[in-house]
Structures are given as C-alpha cells and as structure tokens.
Amino acid sequence: MKQLIAKHVSTALNRIAAYFAATASPVAGHRPELPEELK
C-alpha cells in the first residue's frame, strides 16, 4: 500500500515540476529591448 501511495505522490510531483518548468521558460514571453546602437 505504501508503494502505491508513494508512486502516486511521485507522479503528481513530477507533473507539477514539469508544469512549472514549461511555464517558467524564459523564451515563453521574454522580449528583450534592442539597444539603441542596433536600431
């Protein structure tokens, strides 16, 4: 029984970690400003 609970908790934490890793990606909404020298 303990192994089953541990497996479900591990799966849930893995999915939560994957969600945060996907949504915290710096590419997702990051638009840096161009320096004046490059404009």
Side-chain angles (χ1 to χ4, degrees):
M1 186 67 180
K2 287 183 182 180
Q3 286 181 334
L4 182 63
I5 293 172
K7 188 172 184 179
H8 285 299
V9 170
S10 175
T11 302
L13 291 175
N14 193 8
R15 289 182 182 169
I16 292 170
Y19 169 76
F20 279 112
T23 58
S25 174
V27 179
H30 185 253
R31 294 184 52 125
E33 295 182 22
L34 287 173
E36 289 296 324
E37 298 87 24
L38 297 178
K39 288 184 179 179

